[in-house]
Amino acid sequence: MKHEAKNNASPPSSSSPPLTEFGLIARYFTRPQAGSHPLIAQGIGDDCAILNSGTHNLAITTDLLVEGTHFFSDVNAHALGHKALAVNLSDLAAAGAQPVCFFLALALPRVDETWLAQFSGGLFTLADAFGCVLAGGDTTRAPHIGPSYGPITVCITALGQTPLGQAHTRARARAGDEIWVSGELGAAALALRMRRGEVQLASTDAEACLQRMDRPQPRVALGLALRGLAHAVIDVSDGLMADLQHLCKRSGLGATVQAHQVPLAPALRTQSEGLQYRCALAGGDDYELLFTAPPHAHEAVLAAARAANTPVTCMGEMQAQPALTALDAQGKPIALTGMGFDHFA
Ligand code: ADP
Ligand code: MG
């Protein structure tokens, strides 16, 4: 680095409350000139940055997975390789971008060839399925800290492309748009509770939920099919209501969700209503697409989803007043505390 970055943030006073994940990004890493380079069509704040590139836009995203924070130490390495790329392809899907290539940065405590063979197997099986090429990266040893080695850290940066002007963002929803979500929600959150010993599941349900947590399927085909139809798109990584709130803030709108119409993962359907709402509305790691489209496009959205072989459900409406509400089957608002995952909450 040639010079230290200057930023305009004032240092915290001792009485300042601790910053949240999004608060710290806003205060220290979001700078007014961030969008000013002529090649940057969109900078911080969306699933992908969007760059102008001749007749195309490039969508770029990066995601970091850290052992102990994002995955258990005993995770299957093949599944980890899959998931590390899948979460990035999910951001490309949200942008409506066709995956092109990715970069892989790894910090490893030791050279374990069995682990490496499995990890790279999971990574390339998914990469090949989407024609996404590994184009570079960086590899280093994780440090020795105290009695043990530092965590395995996997950072992938992925690039995709769209025709010029056709990338989706979170920012273009309009009041009156219908709100849609793909697939079913809550399986990964239920798997996490099971792993922590908080719930018990029958073996087939357990297997299905673990599969959803460990091997999410990025909705790339749906993202492409929604080009020209959806007004705003985000992928559900932090939890449905939290990600809807991100979309609402970026679009300057509010939303009402019919929570009883939110599609539930099969294993959730026999659980208590409270657990259903906590997992489907506030759980994370679903990697489904949440999007808005005008009501007149309702049939076209269904046709696009069918063509992409991806189920979608209409379950809410965007509105001008900036409130976010989830209603139960009786039309009563559901209390939504802790609506999404914040790494520093
Ligand atoms: P996603 O869940 O789609 O990966 P996040 O909610 O994690 O997105 O991040 C919100 C926005 O903040 C994104 O545009 C992301 O690129 C940006 N962001 C996150 N961390 C940083 C950082 N350390 N510096 C700059 N931008 C960041
Ligand atoms: Mg995202």
Side-chain angles (χ1 to χ4, degrees):
M1 213 190 281
K2 286 205 182 104
H3 56 84
E4 268 190 62
K6 287 196 200 109
N7 70 54
N8 302 323
S10 40
S13 76
S14 56
S15 60
S16 305
L19 286 171
T20 64
E21 176 187 353
F22 301 106
L24 83 81
I25 295 167
R27 181 176 297 176
Y28 290 103
F29 300 114
T30 308
R31 305 170 84 190
Q33 68 272 35
S36 66
H37 192 284
L39 287 185
I40 299 181
Q42 172 179 267
I44 292 175
D46 227 285
D47 293 287
C48 292
I50 308 294
L51 268 56
N52 297 315
S53 167
T55 57
H56 283 80
N57 285 120
L58 289 178
I60 306 178
T61 180
T62 192
D63 267 297
L64 179 64
L65 300 187
V66 180
E67 179 182 357
T69 299
H70 300 92
F71 58 92
F72 293 102
S73 296
D74 62 354
V75 70
N76 174 297
H78 193 277
L80 181 62
H82 172 104
K83 186 162 180 174
L85 182 59
V87 299
N88 282 278
L89 297 187
S90 179
D91 280 328
L92 295 186
Q98 178 74 52
V100 174
C101 65
F102 67 103
F103 295 78
L104 169 67
L106 278 177
L108 299 172
R110 64 189 71 81
V111 179
D112 176 342
E113 292 206 42
T114 306
W115 188 94
L116 284 164
Q118 290 176 354
F119 177 84
S120 58
L123 184 78
F124 283 120
T125 301
L126 187 69
D128 292 348
F130 288 97
C132 194
V133 176
L134 178 58
D138 195 21
T139 307
T140 186
R141 185 186 287 273
H144 206 162
I145 304 169
S148 59
Y149 281 95
I152 296 174
T153 306
V154 184
C155 182
I156 289 185
T157 302
L159 272 74
Q161 70 175 18
T162 70
L164 199 61
Q166 288 192 31
H168 300 136
T169 77
R170 303 172 177 181
R172 292 198 285 264
R174 293 186 208 148
D177 276 0
E178 292 178 328
I179 304 172
W180 299 75
V181 70
S182 64
E184 290 152 345
L185 299 181
L190 193 57
L192 187 61
R193 282 168 171 76
M194 186 187 71
R195 279 237 166 130
R196 288 186 187 143
E198 294 165 17
V199 295
Q200 293 203 323
L201 299 176
S203 62
T204 48
D205 283 345
E207 187 51 43
C209 288
L210 287 170
Q211 181 75 3
R212 287 300 309 264
M213 180 167 77
D214 289 342
R215 295 177 193 270
Q217 299 299 320
R219 298 299 197 179
V220 172
L222 180 64
L224 298 179
L226 291 173
R227 281 185 195 155
L229 278 177
H231 280 164
V233 189
I234 185 171
D235 72 325
V236 182
S237 55
D238 291 340
L240 176 72
M241 296 307 283
D243 287 311
L244 181 55
Q245 192 171 42
H246 297 322
L247 186 151
C248 284
K249 276 195 180 154
R250 293 276 291 166
S251 293
L253 297 172
T256 299
V257 167
Q258 302 298 333
H260 55 104
Q261 289 173 1
V262 170
L264 298 179
L268 256 188
R269 293 177 200 157
T270 51
Q271 303 293 328
S272 69
E273 194 178 68
L275 187 59
Q276 289 178 352
Y277 287 151
R278 278 198 300 284
C279 289
L281 302 184
D285 257 11
D286 293 301
Y287 300 102
E288 295 293 349
L289 293 188
L290 174 68
F291 58 97
T292 84
H296 67 76
H298 190 97
E299 291 306 318
V301 167
L302 289 173
R306 267 197 305 278
N309 210 9
T310 309
V312 293
T313 306
C314 180
M315 45 75 186
E317 190 183 334
M318 299 299 297
Q319 72 219 4
Q321 61 275 36
L324 187 56
T325 313
L327 302 176
D328 67 15
Q330 285 72 46
K332 282 201 303 251
I334 297 166
L336 296 162
T337 45
M339 280 195 307
F341 195 77
D342 176 338
H343 281 278
F344 295 96

